[in-house]
Amino acid sequence: MGSFRGISVAIFVVQALLASVVLVSAQGSTTARPLWQTLSGDAPFVVARGGFSGIFADSSFGAYSLALLTGPSDVILWCDVQLTKDGAGICFPDLKLDNNSNIASVFNDKPTTYLVNGVSTQGLFSIDYTLKDLGKNNVFLSQGVYSRTNKFDGQNYPIMTVQDTYTQLKPLGFWLNIQHDAFYAQHNLSMRSFLLSLTRNAAVTIDYISSPEVAFLQNIAPIFRRSATKLVFRFLGQEDVEPSTNQTYDSLSKNLTFIKTFASGIIVPKSYIWPVDGSLYLQPSTSIVLDAHKGGLEVFASEFYNDVPFSFNYSYDPVAEYLQFVDNGIFSVDGVISDFPITPSAAIDCFAHLGNNASKQVDLLVISNNGASGDYPGCTDMAYEKAIEDGVDVIDCPVQMTKDGTPICLGAINLIDGTTVIRSGFSNLTTTIPELMQGSGIFTFNLSWSDIQTLEPVISSPQSQYKLFRNPKFKNAGKFLTLSDFLSMAKNASSLHGVLISIENAPYLAEQGFGVTDAVLNALSKAGYDKQTAQKVMIQSSNSSVLMKFKGKANYQLVYKVDEDIGGAQSSTIEDIRRFASAVVISKDSVFPVNSAFLAGATDVVQRLQAANLSVFVQTFSNEFTAQAWDFFSDATVEINSFYAGAGINGVITDFPKSSDRYRRNRCLNRGNKTPGYMTPVQPGSLLQLVTSEYLPPAEAPNPYLTEADVVEPPLPPVAAKTPTSTPSGTASAPRSPNGQPKVAASVIVPLMALLLAIYLLF
């Protein structure tokens, strides 16, 4: 069915998705590996469940094509086999057709109710339609997971037969999963007969057949006893009952000797191997993998999805999760079954067995964002210690001033954002200062350092609107640090390359009697940073006037932060930045503009800044999949790789330093034209090209150019004498930027365009 359509779509996917990849994934890895702790001693297999079903419709030609493109040469394509009314075998993820296709809009049939494993189930079932019904009436596949994008449904991928799936795609590994043989038998359809007919087709090779039904595997075992096809028993939920033995799957997992009588391997949900508690924290591993290997059974772990929250121990990094199953020093599963096969492919080939002392393969600077703020409350001792442990190059301190003039490290001037102040006795100190922020806040300069020490830190969860929270067990862990404490900690960390001191709101603070720049200079001097070269000192600000004050002070690197998304920069603006900075921080959207969570293309901002000898650091990298464009496949490593290898940035500013540090040590870098597909940067705009017109999001206005008017500022005002404590004025005397500094136009003031709409509306 739909073979010509499938071929054209496959060509389009190959050309558009990763334009710089010329099927290099087929070359795989050439690096020698230590002996794996699998049953065979070989590397684990990657099984693509329904193809790359995390992006395209499950079992579609597009999904299978992308899996072949981004996986290793021996990636195994998984097909869930269903039978039609006339006994044809199709690849489709479920008995019911209504959730993963448009059948409900094609036919006006009322849902049918059948018993499935004793449970009354309603829907439009495959057994009620012939193969011709599905083909001639244009029943097309659609994305069945509603949290994933449906924008590719307009490609009209047809439902394919098992034979067509194999012959059109020609995978080196082909896996048939037979989930409901008993159901089909009740309706006079035989999976056994279908498999027999398939084995007589010399054009189709079946490598694996799996089923959760003991009786079915026992029934077909004689057919495949002399063939290379492996039979695999699939475990379902531990309390679910296997129909032919009337035993729970948990009970059967304790009798692997019995399983071995009809199968050569088992599929287990990943929780059978590494259980998690009710709070989603890892528990000790079970012995099921070692027990299965002892009995001669291969073990395939299932239920891997990059876009479903997993254990907090992995810090939202799917590569870390796969490594837990294949490189833990005790055992390795023999294969993983994934909706996002690019991720396990990279984990197995590029990251497994790296060891703690793996050398860096690329020159990518890793700068923390409030320490390892993805794991602990930002700017606390624990966040900084974790960042150092995780291999960060530079730890950062956003400097805020307290009421008694103490410079401290805190991610925001508003204490409500990162502390428990709103639940404290200081909650009545809320005030509105338009020069600093919209709405009301409780500001650091409203409390003394001793007052702030009575508060608890609060971990940031920037994706909480999607119910993605960070490390709740440690959401209030750690202690706040003064700038002096921070510098002392950094100086004692021999692995650090340097520190980054961020200064914002300096003009406003000076008007209130707080000399933040002088406080930073004094702290650096007292810590000896003005007389040492072992660690780099970086001073960052979105105020050029702040950086001008530091110009010529010791050997500090000055970093200009562009505090808005930009589409480009005028040459005169870049030359102006060079007068006071040697590096620039820009947003991710200033490199790869995003439209409705799709990369819309690429700017030349990085190249133009670098051509002026300005290093480019990009912020902010987060591991949560909702913080990434669809193009990055819900994988932080794919995103980092695309910004470094694709855009050529010099450094990342990240909430999760471990992911970035591990990336730059992976063995798949620097391979030239032998780089595998799973370590090739994505082509910006390629996914958006696959969205048909009826699903295409409206075009958005480009980001504005950075102009001289955005950069040029008058010198910092002198520090005013402190006045008795009072509520700060709520009205500014002149229009101000968010950091409180009036902007001075070089000629005519050019108002900036509004920022882009939120890019993650589709999640």
Side-chain angles (χ1 to χ4, degrees):
M1 297 172 58
S3 59
F4 292 111
R5 172 68 175 174
I7 290 171
S8 65
V9 169
I11 292 172
F12 192 19
V13 169
V14 170
Q15 289 178 336
L17 262 175
L18 295 171
S20 56
V21 182
V22 190
L23 295 179
V24 292
S25 60
Q27 297 171 11
S29 170
T30 58
T31 306
R33 292 287 179 278
L35 185 67
W36 289 87
Q37 292 174 299
T38 56
L39 182 64
S40 66
D42 296 327
F45 287 103
V46 174
V47 184
R49 194 190 70 84
F52 208 128
S53 52
I55 292 292
F56 294 105
D58 192 308
S59 306
S60 68
F61 209 110
Y64 285 129
S65 298
L66 184 57
L68 292 174
L69 180 65
T70 58
S73 59
D74 59 355
V75 64
I76 300 170
L77 299 188
W78 167 290
C79 164
D80 281 296
V81 182
Q82 314 300 337
L83 295 180
T84 62
K85 187 176 184 179
D86 50 345
I90 58 174
C91 292
F92 197 86
D94 192 47
L95 280 167
K96 300 186 298 177
L97 303 178
D98 32 341
N99 189 50
N100 294 84
S101 78
N102 66 339
I103 192 168
S105 61
V106 172
F107 296 99
N108 293 321
D109 301 339
K110 292 183 178 179
T112 307
T113 301
Y114 293 114
L115 283 178
V116 181
N117 291 336
V119 178
S120 180
T121 306
Q122 189 178 72
L124 301 176
F125 289 77
S126 64
I127 61 172
D128 292 324
Y129 302 91
T130 66
L131 186 62
K132 188 176 181 180
D133 291 335
L134 302 178
K136 72 175 183 179
N137 291 289
N138 293 326
V139 175
F140 299 124
L141 292 162
S142 60
Q143 179 56 260
V145 179
Y146 297 142
S147 60
R148 296 172 179 170
T149 182
N150 69 340
K151 298 298 185 184
F152 306 114
D153 288 354
Q155 285 290 335
N156 293 339
Y157 296 114
I159 296 173
M160 294 193 296
T161 66
V162 175
Q163 293 93 324
D164 284 346
T165 300
Y166 184 88
T167 56
Q168 291 183 26
L169 291 150
K170 297 180 173 58
L172 292 184
F174 196 41
W175 189 308
L176 302 184
N177 180 59
I178 315 295
Q179 197 75 1
H180 295 288
D181 171 70
F183 171 81
Y184 289 111
Q186 291 168 8
H187 297 275
N188 299 316
L189 293 169
S190 172
M191 275 289 183
R192 187 177 190 276
S193 298
F194 167 72
L195 290 176
L196 275 171
S197 67
L198 202 60
T199 59
R200 297 189 185 105
N201 185 342
V204 178
T205 300
I206 309 169
D207 297 281
Y208 294 88
I209 297 174
S210 60
S211 177
E213 298 178 0
V214 169
F216 173 68
L217 291 176
Q218 289 175 326
N219 187 21
I220 66 171
I223 302 174
F224 296 98
R225 188 163 289 138
R226 292 184 176 85
S227 75
T229 303
K230 295 182 178 182
L231 303 186
V232 181
F233 180 64
R234 183 178 187 181
F235 285 83
L236 303 181
Q238 291 177 306
E239 299 307 314
D240 292 340
V241 176
E242 194 284 318
S244 53
T245 62
N246 204 32
Q247 294 184 52
T248 64
Y249 286 97
D250 181 55
S251 176
L252 287 170
S253 72
K254 297 173 175 58
N255 191 4
L256 296 179
T257 303
F258 168 64
I259 303 299
K260 179 62 176 173
T261 62
F262 57 84
S264 63
I266 59 174
I267 298 174
V268 292
K270 59 188 181 184
S271 59
Y272 273 64
I273 301 170
W274 286 100
V276 295
D277 62 19
S279 300
L280 292 183
Y281 286 93
L282 278 183
Q283 300 299 292
S285 64
T286 68
S287 63
I288 191 167
V289 176
L290 293 173
D291 293 343
H293 285 174
K294 185 177 179 180
L297 289 166
E298 290 183 306
V299 180
F300 295 87
S302 66
E303 300 184 359
F304 286 96
Y305 320 103
N306 290 6
D307 57 354
V308 174
F310 32 91
S311 171
F312 290 113
N313 297 74
Y314 305 128
S315 300
Y316 289 102
D317 186 343
V319 170
E321 182 181 34
Y322 285 108
L323 291 176
Q324 187 79 4
F325 286 81
V326 302
D327 184 21
N328 56 55
I330 303 171
F331 60 80
S332 171
V333 297
D334 301 278
V336 292
I337 301 168
S338 174
D339 289 17
F340 294 83
I342 190 173
T343 305
S345 301
I348 292 166
D349 185 24
C350 308
F351 294 101
H353 306 135
L354 279 182
N356 295 326
N357 299 316
S359 59
K360 297 174 186 175
Q361 303 297 308
V362 294
D363 185 17
L364 176 69
L365 194 70
V366 177
I367 305 170
S368 71
N369 181 52
N370 303 334
S373 55
D375 293 303
Y376 294 102
C379 299
T380 61
D381 57 342
M382 295 184 72
Y384 290 127
E385 288 166 0
K386 183 69 164 63
I388 294 168
E389 175 190 331
D390 288 347
V392 76
D393 294 318
V394 177
I395 54 173
D396 69 306
C397 171
V399 175
Q400 314 298 343
M401 298 298 290
T402 67
K403 183 178 180 181
D404 50 351
T406 302
I408 66 172
C409 300
L410 203 63
I413 197 170
N414 180 12
L415 289 166
I416 294 174
D417 291 341
T419 78
T420 56
V421 68
I422 204 66
R423 303 199 304 269
S424 74
F426 304 108
S427 60
N428 62 331
L429 296 179
T430 55
T431 187
T432 300
I433 306 177
E435 296 94 329
L436 298 181
M437 58 175 285
Q438 293 182 345
S440 59
I442 302 174
F443 301 95
T444 57
F445 51 78
N446 295 141
L447 276 70
S448 68
W449 170 232
S450 59
D451 291 335
I452 291 174
Q453 287 177 290
T454 67
L455 306 176
E456 287 185 316
V458 175
I459 198 168
S460 67
S461 290
Q463 303 300 313
S464 59
Q465 68 268 41
Y466 305 110
K467 307 302 180 185
L468 299 180
F469 300 96
R470 292 176 172 177
N471 205 4
K473 189 181 288 186
F474 296 92
K475 65 181 180 180
N476 300 118
K479 297 178 182 179
F480 297 119
L481 301 178
T482 65
L483 175 57
S484 296
D485 295 334
F486 167 84
L487 293 173
S488 177
M489 173 186 283
K491 215 165 190 183
N492 291 326
S494 59
S495 64
L496 281 181
H497 292 194
V499 294
L500 183 147
I501 312 297
S502 176
I503 302 173
E504 298 297 337
N505 308 304
Y508 177 84
L509 291 171
E511 293 171 356
Q512 308 306 311
F514 297 100
V516 60
T517 54
D518 291 336
V520 169
L521 284 167
N522 290 337
L524 287 168
S525 179
K526 287 179 181 178
Y529 273 91
D530 58 342
K531 300 180 180 67
Q532 60 86 51
T533 58
Q535 289 184 346
K536 180 193 305 183
V537 175
M538 305 166 73
I539 305 296
Q540 173 187 296
S541 181
S542 59
N543 275 129
S544 60
S545 56
V546 169
L547 299 181
M548 289 296 288
K549 177 131 186 211
F550 279 87
K551 190 173 177 62
K553 305 285 187 182
N555 191 29
Y556 302 153
Q557 181 183 12
L558 305 183
V559 182
Y560 181 63
K561 177 183 176 182
V562 180
D563 56 3
E564 61 183 337
D565 297 332
I566 60 173
Q570 296 175 350
S571 297
S572 58
T573 306
I574 295 174
E575 285 302 311
D576 195 62
I577 292 172
R578 287 185 63 193
R579 291 193 303 108
F580 55 80
S582 62
V584 180
V585 171
I586 59 176
S587 67
K588 292 192 294 187
D589 209 62
S590 299
V591 182
F592 297 136
V594 175
N595 183 358
S596 300
F598 287 97
L599 297 187
T603 70
D604 64 354
V605 172
V606 174
Q607 293 79 6
R608 297 198 65 219
L609 291 172
Q610 289 175 339
N613 292 320
L614 292 166
S615 298
V616 180
F617 309 134
V618 174
Q619 67 174 20
T620 303
F621 287 83
S622 299
N623 285 358
E624 292 95 338
F625 64 91
T626 50
Q628 301 151 14
W630 295 113
D631 305 65
F632 301 129
F633 308 133
S634 303
D635 184 341
T637 298
V638 175
E639 181 180 45
I640 296 165
N641 184 53
S642 296
F643 274 88
Y644 174 75
I649 67 173
N650 300 104
V652 296
I653 299 174
T654 175
D655 297 347
F656 298 89
K658 187 172 186 176
S659 299
S660 295
D661 179 59
R662 186 184 57 221
Y663 161 74
R664 61 186 176 174
R665 299 175 190 273
N666 89 75
R667 64 174 66 87
C668 294
L669 298 171
N670 295 328
R671 290 192 187 172
N673 60 9
K674 293 186 178 180
T675 301
Y678 38 84
M679 197 49 64
T680 302
V682 302
Q683 186 72 16
S686 57
L687 274 185
L688 197 57
Q689 292 176 26
L690 296 178
V691 178
T692 53
S693 58
E694 66 269 33
Y695 287 91
L696 199 65
E700 295 185 348
N703 291 324
Y705 261 55
L706 188 69
T707 67
E708 287 184 79
D710 303 316
V711 173
V712 177
E713 295 176 350
L716 283 174
V719 178
K722 287 190 179 181
T723 56
T725 304
S726 62
T727 302
S729 170
T731 305
S733 58
R736 295 176 182 267
S737 66
N739 54 45
Q741 178 74 332
K743 298 289 188 182
V744 176
S747 54
V748 179
I749 295 177
V750 181
L752 296 177
M753 301 180 71
L755 297 180
L756 291 180
L757 296 175
I759 63 175
Y760 301 115
L761 297 176
L762 293 178
F763 289 97

